[in-house]
Amino acid sequence: MNLSDLDLQGQRALIRVDFNVPLNEAREVTDDTRIRAALPTIQYVLAQGGSAVLMSHLGRPKGRDEKFSLKHVLPRIENLLGQKVKFASDCVGDSALDVTHPMKPGEVTLLENLRFHAEEKAGDEFFAGQLAENGDVYINDAFGTAHRSHASTATIANFFPEKKAFGKLLAREIEALEKVLACPEKPLTAVIGGAKVSSKLGIIEHLIGLVDCLIVGGGMAYTFVQAQGGSIGTSLVESEMHAQALSILEKARSSKTELLLPTDTLCGDTFAPDANTQVSPIHAITEGWMGLDIGPETTARFVKAVLRSKTVLWNGPMGVFEMAVFAKGTNAVAASMAKATADCGAFTLIGGGDSVAAINKAGLAEQVSYVSTGGGAMLECLEGKVLPGIAAIRN
Ligand code: AMP
């Protein structure tokens, strides 16, 4: 299962990478983080005397669509790798095999977008077999799609029963997640924020009983407050989730998990960066005002809980952090993650799009233990699900 267990000498390593990068109107890469993240595995394969066949999806094309061609990404890959990369105009069939079969050690080929074929998302067995002809060994290094049961992430592993492994990036993701979910140093705290209870319900339910302290902030907190009879003004709410919110509170009461909810909130009179603001108790928000960040008392409680932990997981902002005036709570949590790492020797993991954006914005990404690359995949792990991309390598 480990890359180091594979004999790569003279072998073509078929690597599932995540090159689903943002492109601008001129089809230039605007953020190459995901390409950089894949380099260690590619470079390792080449250093071991192998060649690398890279396959990925890009965007959501419906059939072949030049707009989503991976050839737009090719120059940046060549630039970062510092060598020429061949391009196959399709990922299966002769257009691919004519390029990948004659490959020599040290060479790299990029296959065209996997999602030009509907069979990719369908996890089609025949298509996976065609893909498999492009390599002698299979490596999955795409955590971002590990929760998908697609041909290139799951089905294909059947064609390499003895010759498959996790890439370095995926292995690090799994290791970081296991440090939190499987064998955490205690106390273990999870900070969950974001807009909606409905999208984090599975995570919250899975974490109750598992973590020592569960902190719930962000827009979803107001549903809990309203369900208990509080006045939340015009704050974001999912009234149809009252029953679930109350059941979570009940479940937490009868478990070993301490559930922390906000007690005060920073409100705005409108959803705008220049809104008038006031702090109020979270259960008594003035009519016409909306809670857009956690208040100072809550921030202090949450920070204190993070700083007494040995393992901390954070997913989701505490408020509308995109507006500076409502970013204080989120920034304070970001800073406490860095402080817990440095001062308390805690293992701190940040997972999911907006918390990653927040820690980057705060300039603290280097000061936490691990920043996960996979949004949806991370969320499914936190819900306790087994990811098909991981299971396919392990089974
Ligand atoms: P999610 O994708 O569920 O993690 O939610 C992230 C989004 O939640 C961000 O865009 C935040 O602006 C938003 N958010 C966080 N707190 C609030 C709040 N109190 N009211 C409205 N939106 C919020």
Side-chain angles (χ1 to χ4, degrees):
M1 286 182 317
N2 292 323
L3 204 46
S4 56
D5 297 332
L6 288 181
D7 179 9
L8 292 161
Q9 179 66 46
Q11 302 285 292
R12 291 167 306 149
L14 180 57
I15 313 176
R16 177 50 160 107
V17 288
D18 181 3
F19 286 168
N20 184 30
V21 291
L23 301 175
N24 61 16
E25 278 300 310
R27 311 319 282 163
E28 293 155 345
V29 177
T30 55
D31 181 347
D32 60 15
T33 310
R34 286 177 172 166
I35 305 174
R36 288 176 188 276
L39 295 181
T41 297
I42 302 169
Q43 284 160 340
Y44 175 84
V45 166
L46 302 181
Q48 296 296 309
S51 55
V53 181
L54 311 177
M55 57 176 174
S56 176
H57 75 287
L58 176 65
R60 295 177 174 174
K62 292 182 179 68
R64 183 169 272 277
D65 180 346
E66 286 306 298
K67 223 173 106 188
F68 295 103
S69 172
L70 272 163
K71 70 171 186 256
H72 302 302
V73 183
L74 190 68
R76 187 64 68 96
I77 302 170
E78 289 186 323
N79 186 274
L80 289 171
L81 264 178
Q83 73 175 74
K84 192 96 194 101
V85 174
K86 289 182 184 160
F87 184 71
S89 60
D90 203 347
C91 57
V92 290
D94 288 344
S95 321
L97 299 179
D98 287 349
V99 185
T100 56
H101 271 186
M103 282 174 77
K104 296 189 186 67
E107 290 183 346
V108 181
T109 293
L110 174 67
L111 302 180
E112 182 55 289
N113 195 343
L114 293 158
R115 290 202 190 158
F116 282 179
H117 298 264
E119 293 91 337
E120 160 64 0
K121 281 176 82 170
D124 185 83
E125 185 90 21
F126 181 73
F127 177 71
Q130 285 184 300
L131 278 178
E133 289 177 41
N134 289 300
D136 306 307
V137 303
Y138 169 68
I139 297 168
N140 188 354
D141 208 20
F143 182 63
T145 48
H147 59 313
R148 307 284 186 212
S149 202
H150 293 171
S152 70
T153 59
T155 324
I156 193 168
N158 298 335
F159 295 88
F160 300 91
E162 305 291 330
K163 293 182 172 183
K164 55 184 179 176
F166 295 117
K168 286 175 179 280
L169 175 66
L170 188 43
R172 279 187 67 216
E173 292 275 356
I174 294 169
E175 192 190 330
L177 273 162
E178 286 185 343
K179 271 192 181 164
V180 174
L181 298 174
C183 45
E185 222 186 304
K186 302 280 198 157
L188 163 64
T189 293
V191 186
I192 305 296
K196 293 181 167 178
V197 186
S198 51
S199 62
K200 304 279 166 86
L201 190 66
I203 296 177
I204 295 176
E205 285 187 331
H206 181 65
L207 293 179
I208 290 177
L210 190 79
V211 303
D212 301 298
C213 178
L214 177 61
I215 296 175
V216 173
M220 72 174 90
Y222 304 92
T223 299
F224 286 89
V225 175
Q226 194 186 54
Q228 295 174 93
S231 304
I232 57 160
T234 51
S235 306
L236 187 68
V237 70
E238 291 173 283
S239 302
E240 68 284 3
M241 297 295 291
H242 278 176
Q244 286 89 336
L246 292 173
S247 139
I248 286 170
L249 295 173
E250 184 50 41
K251 202 172 158 200
R253 266 193 289 274
S254 55
S255 79
K256 63 161 189 117
T257 301
E258 180 191 12
L259 177 64
L260 297 186
L261 281 165
T263 44
D264 65 343
T265 173
L266 179 66
C267 302
D269 60 351
T270 170
F271 189 85
D274 58 352
N276 293 308
T277 62
Q278 66 180 23
V279 174
S280 84
I282 200 164
H283 59 272
I285 296 177
T286 311
E287 202 45 54
W289 289 67
M290 59 185 86
L292 295 172
D293 194 7
I294 49 175
E297 179 186 279
T298 303
T299 303
R301 281 170 54 236
F302 287 6
V303 165
K304 204 169 150 195
V306 168
L307 293 179
R308 63 170 190 244
S309 309
K310 274 292 185 191
T311 308
V312 191
L313 156 76
W314 176 29
N315 173 276
M318 296 292 100
V320 184
F321 76 106
E322 296 93 338
M323 301 181 197
V325 62
F326 300 114
K328 286 192 208 85
T330 301
N331 287 340
V333 167
S336 72
M337 295 286 286
K339 194 168 163 54
T341 320
D343 296 358
C344 321
F347 181 79
T348 50
L349 184 148
I350 304 203
D354 278 322
S355 350
V356 176
I359 197 91
N360 283 332
K361 216 166 155 185
L364 295 170
E366 301 295 322
Q367 293 176 46
V368 296
S369 310
Y370 196 77
V371 179
S372 172
T373 56
M378 166 60 92
L379 296 184
E380 291 203 9
C381 282
L382 299 183
E383 286 176 7
K385 292 185 183 156
V386 176
L387 306 189
I390 294 178
I393 298 284
R394 285 194 168 151
N395 292 344

